[in-house]
Every structure is written in C-alpha cells, then in structure tokens.
Amino acid sequence: MDPILTKKVIGISTNPEVTAFIESMSQPWQIEISNELRQMIHQSIPDAAERIQYKKPHFLKNGKYAAVISPSKDALSFMIFNTAELELPAGVVFEGPPERKWIKIREGQAPDYAMLSNLLIQASSSL
C-alpha cells in the first residue's frame, strides 16, 4: 500500500522534518521514547499537526501549541500546554508555570503513556 494512503487511512499526518529530527537524536533510548510519545500524541489528538519550531518537534491542535518533545544530553522532556486547569497526578514530578508543564524522562525510565495521554486530551480539549 502507498505510504501516503496509509497515513491518511490511520489519520496521522507526519512531517518528514520531525521524523528526521527524531532519527538524528544521539541516544537510541531517546529515539524510541520520542517515537512512542509522537504516536501517543497522534492517538490523543487525531488531527494534530507537527512541525519543527525552536529546534524541537512541536505538536499543534487548531494552530495552537499542544505538546513539545525536547531532548537534552541526559533526558527527554515532554511538555503539555494549556495545563492551568488540570489536576496533575500526585507523586509525578511536573515542572513549569501553570500554563505549561513538562516531565523529564531519563534513560531506563518508562513513561506512563496512558497518564500522559489523558492529560494531553484534557489540556487540548479546549484548543
């Protein structure tokens, strides 16, 4: 099947720049988690658009920021926008101001994708 048709059938519109960015990360674990986060974002926000902005993959809903994946030397940050009204789960360390929160993921840690997806769905529901 034509890959472009496949993308349309499953409702995911990927940006080759984002794919290249993720594939160019130096740490294999960051590539793996970034791909999982990207897939989770598209499952949570089926019409999400993606682009490279400020040298990081950004994911938008209706032209507004919804999420960002940001690698660093020893971590991967996942940021969710529009979080001021969210009730964040106890025991999970989120950083940032009320309107956007991020979680740092380090090598060997397994992100709770279901929890992140739930927060992303809630945060993006009004975008």
Short mmCIF file of all heavy atoms in Angstrom, two decimals, residues 27-91:
data_model
loop_
_atom_site.label_atom_id
_atom_site.label_comp_id
_atom_site.label_asym_id
_atom_site.label_seq_id
_atom_site.Cartn_x
_atom_site.Cartn_y
_atom_site.Cartn_z
N GLN A 27 20.99 9.40 21.24
CA GLN A 27 20.74 8.29 22.17
C GLN A 27 19.60 7.41 21.65
O GLN A 27 18.48 7.91 21.48
CB GLN A 27 20.38 8.84 23.56
CG GLN A 27 21.43 9.71 24.18
CD GLN A 27 22.70 8.94 24.50
OE1 GLN A 27 22.66 7.80 24.92
NE2 GLN A 27 23.84 9.58 24.29
N PRO A 28 19.84 6.13 21.44
CA PRO A 28 18.78 5.23 20.96
C PRO A 28 17.53 5.23 21.85
O PRO A 28 16.41 5.18 21.34
CB PRO A 28 19.43 3.85 20.93
CG PRO A 28 20.90 4.13 20.81
CD PRO A 28 21.13 5.43 21.54
N TRP A 29 17.71 5.34 23.16
CA TRP A 29 16.54 5.34 24.05
C TRP A 29 15.69 6.59 23.83
O TRP A 29 14.47 6.54 23.95
CB TRP A 29 16.96 5.18 25.52
CG TRP A 29 17.68 6.37 26.10
CD1 TRP A 29 19.02 6.59 26.12
CD2 TRP A 29 17.09 7.50 26.74
NE1 TRP A 29 19.30 7.79 26.73
CE2 TRP A 29 18.12 8.37 27.13
CE3 TRP A 29 15.77 7.87 27.02
CZ2 TRP A 29 17.90 9.57 27.78
CZ3 TRP A 29 15.54 9.07 27.67
CH2 TRP A 29 16.60 9.91 28.05
N GLN A 30 16.34 7.73 23.49
CA GLN A 30 15.59 8.95 23.22
C GLN A 30 14.78 8.82 21.93
O GLN A 30 13.65 9.29 21.85
CB GLN A 30 16.52 10.16 23.13
CG GLN A 30 17.10 10.57 24.47
CD GLN A 30 18.01 11.78 24.35
OE1 GLN A 30 18.72 11.94 23.36
NE2 GLN A 30 18.01 12.61 25.38
N ILE A 31 15.35 8.16 20.93
CA ILE A 31 14.64 7.92 19.68
C ILE A 31 13.40 7.07 19.94
O ILE A 31 12.30 7.38 19.49
CB ILE A 31 15.56 7.26 18.63
CG1 ILE A 31 16.71 8.20 18.26
CG2 ILE A 31 14.78 6.81 17.41
CD1 ILE A 31 17.82 7.55 17.44
N GLU A 32 13.60 5.99 20.69
CA GLU A 32 12.49 5.07 20.97
C GLU A 32 11.37 5.77 21.73
O GLU A 32 10.20 5.69 21.35
CB GLU A 32 13.01 3.89 21.79
CG GLU A 32 11.94 2.88 22.14
CD GLU A 32 12.46 1.74 23.00
OE1 GLU A 32 13.69 1.49 23.02
OE2 GLU A 32 11.63 1.11 23.66
N ILE A 33 11.71 6.49 22.79
CA ILE A 33 10.67 7.17 23.58
C ILE A 33 10.03 8.30 22.78
O ILE A 33 8.81 8.49 22.84
CB ILE A 33 11.24 7.66 24.93
CG1 ILE A 33 11.53 6.43 25.81
CG2 ILE A 33 10.27 8.61 25.63
CD1 ILE A 33 12.19 6.73 27.12
N SER A 34 10.81 9.04 22.00
CA SER A 34 10.24 10.11 21.17
C SER A 34 9.23 9.56 20.18
O SER A 34 8.17 10.15 19.96
CB SER A 34 11.34 10.87 20.44
OG SER A 34 12.15 11.57 21.36
N ASN A 35 9.56 8.43 19.56
CA ASN A 35 8.61 7.81 18.62
C ASN A 35 7.34 7.36 19.34
O ASN A 35 6.23 7.51 18.80
CB ASN A 35 9.27 6.65 17.87
CG ASN A 35 10.14 7.13 16.74
OD1 ASN A 35 9.81 8.08 16.04
ND2 ASN A 35 11.28 6.49 16.56
N GLU A 36 7.49 6.82 20.54
CA GLU A 36 6.31 6.41 21.33
C GLU A 36 5.47 7.62 21.72
O GLU A 36 4.24 7.59 21.65
CB GLU A 36 6.74 5.64 22.59
CG GLU A 36 7.33 4.28 22.31
CD GLU A 36 6.32 3.27 21.79
OE1 GLU A 36 5.14 3.33 22.19
OE2 GLU A 36 6.72 2.42 20.98
N LEU A 37 6.14 8.70 22.16
CA LEU A 37 5.41 9.92 22.51
C LEU A 37 4.69 10.50 21.29
O LEU A 37 3.54 10.91 21.39
CB LEU A 37 6.37 10.97 23.10
CG LEU A 37 6.90 10.70 24.50
CD1 LEU A 37 8.04 11.65 24.84
CD2 LEU A 37 5.78 10.79 25.53
N ARG A 38 5.36 10.49 20.16
CA ARG A 38 4.76 11.01 18.92
C ARG A 38 3.50 10.22 18.57
O ARG A 38 2.47 10.80 18.24
CB ARG A 38 5.79 10.92 17.80
CG ARG A 38 5.35 11.51 16.48
CD ARG A 38 6.41 11.24 15.44
NE ARG A 38 6.28 12.06 14.26
CZ ARG A 38 7.01 11.89 13.17
NH1 ARG A 38 7.95 10.95 13.13
NH2 ARG A 38 6.84 12.66 12.12
N GLN A 39 3.59 8.92 18.65
CA GLN A 39 2.43 8.08 18.36
C GLN A 39 1.31 8.35 19.36
O GLN A 39 0.14 8.47 18.99
CB GLN A 39 2.84 6.60 18.40
CG GLN A 39 1.72 5.66 18.05
CD GLN A 39 2.18 4.21 18.02
OE1 GLN A 39 3.37 3.92 18.06
NE2 GLN A 39 1.25 3.31 17.94
N MET A 40 1.65 8.48 20.65
CA MET A 40 0.66 8.76 21.68
C MET A 40 -0.02 10.10 21.43
O MET A 40 -1.22 10.25 21.59
CB MET A 40 1.35 8.74 23.05
CG MET A 40 0.43 9.00 24.24
SD MET A 40 0.24 10.74 24.72
CE MET A 40 1.91 11.22 25.10
N ILE A 41 0.76 11.11 21.02
CA ILE A 41 0.19 12.42 20.72
C ILE A 41 -0.85 12.30 19.61
O ILE A 41 -1.96 12.82 19.72
CB ILE A 41 1.29 13.44 20.33
CG1 ILE A 41 2.18 13.74 21.54
CG2 ILE A 41 0.68 14.72 19.75
CD1 ILE A 41 3.49 14.43 21.19
N HIS A 42 -0.51 11.60 18.54
CA HIS A 42 -1.44 11.47 17.41
C HIS A 42 -2.66 10.63 17.76
O HIS A 42 -3.74 10.85 17.22
CB HIS A 42 -0.71 10.92 16.18
CG HIS A 42 0.13 11.95 15.50
ND1 HIS A 42 -0.40 13.00 14.79
CD2 HIS A 42 1.48 12.11 15.46
CE1 HIS A 42 0.58 13.75 14.31
NE2 HIS A 42 1.73 13.24 14.71
N GLN A 43 -2.52 9.69 18.68
CA GLN A 43 -3.68 8.94 19.14
C GLN A 43 -4.57 9.80 20.03
O GLN A 43 -5.79 9.69 20.00
CB GLN A 43 -3.25 7.68 19.88
CG GLN A 43 -2.66 6.63 18.95
CD GLN A 43 -2.03 5.47 19.70
OE1 GLN A 43 -1.81 5.52 20.90
NE2 GLN A 43 -1.72 4.41 18.97
N SER A 44 -3.95 10.67 20.82
CA SER A 44 -4.69 11.53 21.74
C SER A 44 -5.34 12.71 21.02
O SER A 44 -6.41 13.16 21.41
CB SER A 44 -3.75 12.07 22.83
OG SER A 44 -3.14 11.01 23.53
N ILE A 45 -4.65 13.23 20.01
CA ILE A 45 -5.14 14.37 19.23
C ILE A 45 -5.07 13.95 17.76
O ILE A 45 -4.08 14.22 17.07
CB ILE A 45 -4.28 15.63 19.45
CG1 ILE A 45 -4.13 15.95 20.94
CG2 ILE A 45 -4.88 16.82 18.71
CD1 ILE A 45 -3.14 17.06 21.23
N PRO A 46 -6.10 13.27 17.27
CA PRO A 46 -6.03 12.70 15.91
C PRO A 46 -5.72 13.70 14.80
O PRO A 46 -5.10 13.35 13.81
CB PRO A 46 -7.43 12.11 15.72
CG PRO A 46 -7.91 11.82 17.11
CD PRO A 46 -7.33 12.91 17.96
N ASP A 47 -6.10 14.97 14.97
CA ASP A 47 -5.84 15.96 13.91
C ASP A 47 -4.63 16.84 14.22
O ASP A 47 -4.49 17.93 13.67
CB ASP A 47 -7.09 16.81 13.67
CG ASP A 47 -7.60 17.49 14.94
OD1 ASP A 47 -7.13 17.14 16.06
OD2 ASP A 47 -8.46 18.38 14.83
N ALA A 48 -3.74 16.37 15.09
CA ALA A 48 -2.55 17.16 15.46
C ALA A 48 -1.66 17.41 14.25
O ALA A 48 -1.43 16.51 13.44
CB ALA A 48 -1.76 16.46 16.56
N ALA A 49 -1.18 18.62 14.16
CA ALA A 49 -0.17 18.97 13.14
C ALA A 49 1.17 19.00 13.85
O ALA A 49 1.25 19.29 15.05
CB ALA A 49 -0.48 20.34 12.55
N GLU A 50 2.22 18.67 13.12
CA GLU A 50 3.54 18.67 13.74
C GLU A 50 4.51 19.48 12.88
O GLU A 50 4.38 19.53 11.66
CB GLU A 50 4.05 17.25 13.97
CG GLU A 50 4.02 16.36 12.76
CD GLU A 50 4.52 14.95 13.08
OE1 GLU A 50 4.10 14.36 14.08
OE2 GLU A 50 5.34 14.45 12.29
N ARG A 51 5.46 20.11 13.58
CA ARG A 51 6.48 20.88 12.88
C ARG A 51 7.67 21.07 13.80
O ARG A 51 7.57 20.93 15.02
CB ARG A 51 5.93 22.22 12.42
CG ARG A 51 5.61 23.18 13.55
CD ARG A 51 5.11 24.49 13.01
NE ARG A 51 4.74 25.39 14.09
CZ ARG A 51 3.83 26.32 13.98
NH1 ARG A 51 3.18 26.48 12.84
NH2 ARG A 51 3.55 27.11 14.99
N ILE A 52 8.80 21.43 13.19
CA ILE A 52 9.97 21.79 13.95
C ILE A 52 9.91 23.30 14.17
O ILE A 52 9.78 24.07 13.22
CB ILE A 52 11.28 21.42 13.21
CG1 ILE A 52 11.38 19.90 13.03
CG2 ILE A 52 12.50 21.96 13.97
CD1 ILE A 52 11.52 19.11 14.32
N GLN A 53 9.96 23.69 15.42
CA GLN A 53 9.97 25.11 15.76
C GLN A 53 10.87 25.26 16.99
O GLN A 53 10.82 24.41 17.89
CB GLN A 53 8.56 25.61 16.07
CG GLN A 53 8.49 27.10 16.20
CD GLN A 53 7.05 27.60 16.24
OE1 GLN A 53 6.11 26.85 16.11
NE2 GLN A 53 6.91 28.90 16.40
N TYR A 54 11.67 26.30 17.01
CA TYR A 54 12.64 26.50 18.09
C TYR A 54 13.53 25.26 18.25
O TYR A 54 13.88 24.87 19.36
CB TYR A 54 11.95 26.84 19.42
CG TYR A 54 10.98 27.99 19.31
CD1 TYR A 54 9.62 27.78 19.45
CD2 TYR A 54 11.45 29.28 19.05
CE1 TYR A 54 8.73 28.83 19.34
CE2 TYR A 54 10.56 30.33 18.95
CZ TYR A 54 9.19 30.11 19.09
OH TYR A 54 8.30 31.15 18.98
N LYS A 55 13.82 24.62 17.13
CA LYS A 55 14.71 23.45 17.07
C LYS A 55 14.19 22.24 17.85
O LYS A 55 14.97 21.43 18.34
CB LYS A 55 16.13 23.82 17.52
CG LYS A 55 16.75 24.91 16.67
CD LYS A 55 18.13 25.24 17.13
CE LYS A 55 18.70 26.39 16.29
NZ LYS A 55 20.01 26.81 16.72
N LYS A 56 12.86 22.11 17.95
CA LYS A 56 12.24 20.97 18.65
C LYS A 56 10.94 20.61 17.95
O LYS A 56 10.27 21.47 17.38
CB LYS A 56 11.89 21.35 20.10
CG LYS A 56 13.04 21.74 20.95
CD LYS A 56 12.55 22.24 22.29
CE LYS A 56 13.52 23.28 22.78
NZ LYS A 56 13.03 24.18 23.74
N PRO A 57 10.53 19.33 18.05
CA PRO A 57 9.22 18.95 17.50
C PRO A 57 8.08 19.53 18.33
O PRO A 57 8.02 19.31 19.55
CB PRO A 57 9.23 17.42 17.58
CG PRO A 57 10.65 17.03 17.75
CD PRO A 57 11.31 18.17 18.47
N HIS A 58 7.22 20.27 17.67
CA HIS A 58 6.02 20.84 18.28
C HIS A 58 4.79 20.19 17.65
O HIS A 58 4.78 19.91 16.45
CB HIS A 58 5.95 22.35 18.04
CG HIS A 58 6.86 23.15 18.91
ND1 HIS A 58 8.22 23.06 18.86
CD2 HIS A 58 6.57 24.07 19.86
CE1 HIS A 58 8.76 23.89 19.74
NE2 HIS A 58 7.77 24.52 20.36
N PHE A 59 3.77 20.00 18.46
CA PHE A 59 2.53 19.39 18.01
C PHE A 59 1.41 20.37 18.32
O PHE A 59 1.31 20.87 19.44
CB PHE A 59 2.31 18.05 18.72
CG PHE A 59 3.44 17.09 18.44
CD1 PHE A 59 4.60 17.13 19.19
CD2 PHE A 59 3.36 16.18 17.39
CE1 PHE A 59 5.66 16.27 18.92
CE2 PHE A 59 4.41 15.33 17.11
CZ PHE A 59 5.57 15.37 17.88
N LEU A 60 0.60 20.67 17.30
CA LEU A 60 -0.42 21.69 17.42
C LEU A 60 -1.81 21.14 17.14
O LEU A 60 -1.97 20.19 16.36
CB LEU A 60 -0.14 22.83 16.42
CG LEU A 60 1.17 23.57 16.60
CD1 LEU A 60 2.30 22.90 15.84
CD2 LEU A 60 1.03 25.00 16.16
N LYS A 61 -2.78 21.75 17.80
CA LYS A 61 -4.19 21.45 17.52
C LYS A 61 -4.84 22.78 17.18
O LYS A 61 -4.75 23.74 17.95
CB LYS A 61 -4.87 20.83 18.75
CG LYS A 61 -6.34 20.53 18.49
CD LYS A 61 -6.98 19.87 19.69
CE LYS A 61 -8.47 19.65 19.42
NZ LYS A 61 -9.15 19.13 20.62
N ASN A 62 -5.46 22.83 16.02
CA ASN A 62 -6.10 24.06 15.55
C ASN A 62 -5.14 25.25 15.58
O ASN A 62 -5.52 26.36 15.92
CB ASN A 62 -7.36 24.37 16.37
CG ASN A 62 -8.40 23.29 16.25
OD1 ASN A 62 -8.57 22.69 15.18
ND2 ASN A 62 -9.08 22.99 17.34
N GLY A 63 -3.87 24.99 15.25
CA GLY A 63 -2.87 26.04 15.17
C GLY A 63 -2.31 26.48 16.51
O GLY A 63 -1.50 27.40 16.58
N LYS A 64 -2.73 25.85 17.59
CA LYS A 64 -2.26 26.22 18.93
C LYS A 64 -1.39 25.10 19.50
O LYS A 64 -1.66 23.92 19.29
CB LYS A 64 -3.44 26.48 19.86
CG LYS A 64 -4.25 27.66 19.38
CD LYS A 64 -5.38 27.96 20.31
CE LYS A 64 -6.10 29.20 19.77
NZ LYS A 64 -7.45 29.29 20.18
N TYR A 65 -0.36 25.49 20.25
CA TYR A 65 0.56 24.51 20.83
C TYR A 65 -0.19 23.55 21.75
O TYR A 65 -0.96 23.96 22.61
CB TYR A 65 1.65 25.19 21.66
CG TYR A 65 2.60 26.03 20.87
CD1 TYR A 65 2.88 27.33 21.26
CD2 TYR A 65 3.23 25.54 19.73
CE1 TYR A 65 3.78 28.11 20.54
CE2 TYR A 65 4.12 26.32 19.01
CZ TYR A 65 4.38 27.60 19.42
OH TYR A 65 5.26 28.37 18.71
N ALA A 66 0.10 22.26 21.57
CA ALA A 66 -0.46 21.22 22.44
C ALA A 66 0.65 20.50 23.19
O ALA A 66 0.51 20.21 24.38
CB ALA A 66 -1.28 20.24 21.63
N ALA A 67 1.78 20.19 22.50
CA ALA A 67 2.85 19.42 23.13
C ALA A 67 4.18 19.67 22.42
O ALA A 67 4.20 20.07 21.26
CB ALA A 67 2.53 17.93 23.10
N VAL A 68 5.27 19.40 23.15
CA VAL A 68 6.62 19.52 22.62
C VAL A 68 7.46 18.37 23.16
O VAL A 68 7.34 18.01 24.34
CB VAL A 68 7.30 20.86 23.03
CG1 VAL A 68 8.73 20.93 22.52
CG2 VAL A 68 6.51 22.05 22.54
N ILE A 69 8.30 17.82 22.30
CA ILE A 69 9.30 16.84 22.72
C ILE A 69 10.65 17.54 22.63
O ILE A 69 11.00 18.08 21.59
CB ILE A 69 9.29 15.60 21.80
CG1 ILE A 69 7.95 14.88 21.89
CG2 ILE A 69 10.45 14.67 22.17
CD1 ILE A 69 7.78 13.75 20.86
N SER A 70 11.40 17.53 23.74
CA SER A 70 12.64 18.27 23.80
C SER A 70 13.77 17.42 24.38
O SER A 70 13.79 17.16 25.58
CB SER A 70 12.43 19.52 24.66
OG SER A 70 13.62 20.26 24.74
N PRO A 71 14.70 16.97 23.53
CA PRO A 71 15.82 16.18 24.06
C PRO A 71 16.92 17.07 24.63
O PRO A 71 17.11 18.21 24.21
CB PRO A 71 16.33 15.45 22.82
CG PRO A 71 16.01 16.38 21.69
CD PRO A 71 14.74 17.09 22.08
N SER A 72 17.61 16.54 25.62
CA SER A 72 18.82 17.17 26.14
C SER A 72 19.87 16.08 26.27
O SER A 72 19.62 14.93 25.89
CB SER A 72 18.55 17.84 27.49
OG SER A 72 18.18 16.88 28.45
N LYS A 73 21.01 16.41 26.81
CA LYS A 73 22.11 15.45 26.86
C LYS A 73 21.73 14.15 27.59
O LYS A 73 22.00 13.06 27.12
CB LYS A 73 23.32 16.09 27.53
CG LYS A 73 24.55 15.23 27.56
CD LYS A 73 25.71 15.95 28.18
CE LYS A 73 26.93 15.06 28.25
NZ LYS A 73 28.06 15.74 28.84
N ASP A 74 21.06 14.27 28.73
CA ASP A 74 20.77 13.09 29.54
C ASP A 74 19.29 12.88 29.85
O ASP A 74 18.93 12.07 30.71
CB ASP A 74 21.56 13.14 30.85
CG ASP A 74 21.13 14.30 31.73
OD1 ASP A 74 20.44 15.22 31.24
OD2 ASP A 74 21.48 14.30 32.92
N ALA A 75 18.42 13.61 29.17
CA ALA A 75 16.98 13.50 29.44
C ALA A 75 16.18 13.81 28.18
O ALA A 75 16.72 14.26 27.17
CB ALA A 75 16.57 14.43 30.57
N LEU A 76 14.90 13.56 28.29
CA LEU A 76 13.95 13.90 27.25
C LEU A 76 12.79 14.56 27.99
O LEU A 76 12.25 13.97 28.94
CB LEU A 76 13.48 12.63 26.54
CG LEU A 76 12.68 12.77 25.28
CD1 LEU A 76 13.55 13.35 24.16
CD2 LEU A 76 12.16 11.43 24.84
N SER A 77 12.45 15.78 27.61
CA SER A 77 11.33 16.46 28.25
C SER A 77 10.12 16.37 27.35
O SER A 77 10.23 16.52 26.13
CB SER A 77 11.66 17.93 28.52
OG SER A 77 12.69 18.02 29.47
N PHE A 78 8.97 16.14 27.98
CA PHE A 78 7.70 16.14 27.27
C PHE A 78 6.84 17.22 27.90
O PHE A 78 6.53 17.16 29.09
CB PHE A 78 7.01 14.78 27.35
CG PHE A 78 5.68 14.75 26.67
CD1 PHE A 78 5.61 14.88 25.29
CD2 PHE A 78 4.51 14.62 27.39
CE1 PHE A 78 4.38 14.88 24.64
CE2 PHE A 78 3.27 14.60 26.74
CZ PHE A 78 3.21 14.74 25.37
N MET A 79 6.49 18.24 27.10
CA MET A 79 5.73 19.37 27.60
C MET A 79 4.30 19.34 27.06
O MET A 79 4.08 19.07 25.89
CB MET A 79 6.39 20.69 27.16
CG MET A 79 5.66 21.93 27.66
SD MET A 79 6.33 23.48 27.00
CE MET A 79 7.98 23.44 27.65
N ILE A 80 3.38 19.65 27.95
CA ILE A 80 1.97 19.78 27.59
C ILE A 80 1.57 21.22 27.87
O ILE A 80 1.85 21.76 28.94
CB ILE A 80 1.08 18.81 28.42
CG1 ILE A 80 1.51 17.36 28.18
CG2 ILE A 80 -0.40 19.02 28.07
CD1 ILE A 80 0.79 16.35 29.06
N PHE A 81 0.90 21.85 26.90
CA PHE A 81 0.43 23.22 27.03
C PHE A 81 -1.01 23.24 27.53
O PHE A 81 -1.71 22.23 27.47
CB PHE A 81 0.50 23.94 25.67
CG PHE A 81 1.90 24.26 25.25
CD1 PHE A 81 2.67 23.32 24.59
CD2 PHE A 81 2.45 25.51 25.49
CE1 PHE A 81 3.96 23.61 24.19
CE2 PHE A 81 3.75 25.81 25.09
CZ PHE A 81 4.50 24.85 24.43
N ASN A 82 -1.46 24.41 27.97
CA ASN A 82 -2.84 24.64 28.38
C ASN A 82 -3.19 23.83 29.63
O ASN A 82 -4.27 23.24 29.72
CB ASN A 82 -3.79 24.32 27.21
CG ASN A 82 -5.15 24.96 27.36
OD1 ASN A 82 -5.27 26.05 27.90
ND2 ASN A 82 -6.17 24.28 26.90
N THR A 83 -2.28 23.79 30.58
CA THR A 83 -2.43 22.93 31.75
C THR A 83 -2.95 23.64 33.00
O THR A 83 -3.10 23.00 34.05
CB THR A 83 -1.08 22.27 32.10
OG1 THR A 83 -0.11 23.30 32.29
CG2 THR A 83 -0.63 21.32 31.02
N ALA A 84 -3.24 24.93 32.94
CA ALA A 84 -3.60 25.69 34.14
C ALA A 84 -4.79 25.08 34.90
O ALA A 84 -4.83 25.14 36.12
CB ALA A 84 -3.88 27.14 33.78
N GLU A 85 -5.74 24.50 34.19
CA GLU A 85 -6.94 23.97 34.84
C GLU A 85 -6.86 22.47 35.15
O GLU A 85 -7.79 21.90 35.69
CB GLU A 85 -8.17 24.22 33.95
CG GLU A 85 -8.40 25.68 33.59
CD GLU A 85 -8.66 26.55 34.82
OE1 GLU A 85 -9.40 26.11 35.72
OE2 GLU A 85 -8.11 27.67 34.88
N LEU A 86 -5.73 21.83 34.82
CA LEU A 86 -5.61 20.39 35.04
C LEU A 86 -5.28 20.05 36.48
O LEU A 86 -4.54 20.79 37.14
CB LEU A 86 -4.51 19.80 34.15
CG LEU A 86 -4.71 19.76 32.66
CD1 LEU A 86 -3.59 18.98 32.01
CD2 LEU A 86 -6.04 19.16 32.30
N GLU A 87 -5.78 18.92 36.91
CA GLU A 87 -5.37 18.38 38.19
C GLU A 87 -4.30 17.34 37.88
O GLU A 87 -4.59 16.29 37.30
CB GLU A 87 -6.56 17.73 38.90
CG GLU A 87 -6.24 17.32 40.31
CD GLU A 87 -7.46 16.88 41.09
OE1 GLU A 87 -8.53 17.48 40.90
OE2 GLU A 87 -7.32 15.93 41.86
N LEU A 88 -3.07 17.66 38.26
CA LEU A 88 -1.95 16.77 37.95
C LEU A 88 -1.90 15.63 38.96
O LEU A 88 -2.22 15.81 40.14
CB LEU A 88 -0.64 17.56 37.95
CG LEU A 88 -0.57 18.68 36.92
CD1 LEU A 88 0.68 19.51 37.11
CD2 LEU A 88 -0.63 18.12 35.51
N PRO A 89 -1.50 14.44 38.51
CA PRO A 89 -1.46 13.29 39.41
C PRO A 89 -0.43 13.47 40.53
O PRO A 89 0.67 13.98 40.30
CB PRO A 89 -1.09 12.12 38.50
CG PRO A 89 -0.55 12.72 37.26
CD PRO A 89 -1.08 14.11 37.15
N ALA A 90 -0.80 13.04 41.71
CA ALA A 90 0.11 13.10 42.85
C ALA A 90 1.27 12.14 42.63
O ALA A 90 1.11 11.08 42.04
CB ALA A 90 -0.64 12.75 44.13
N GLY A 91 2.43 12.53 43.10
CA GLY A 91 3.58 11.66 43.02
C GLY A 91 4.34 11.72 41.70
O GLY A 91 5.36 11.07 41.54
#
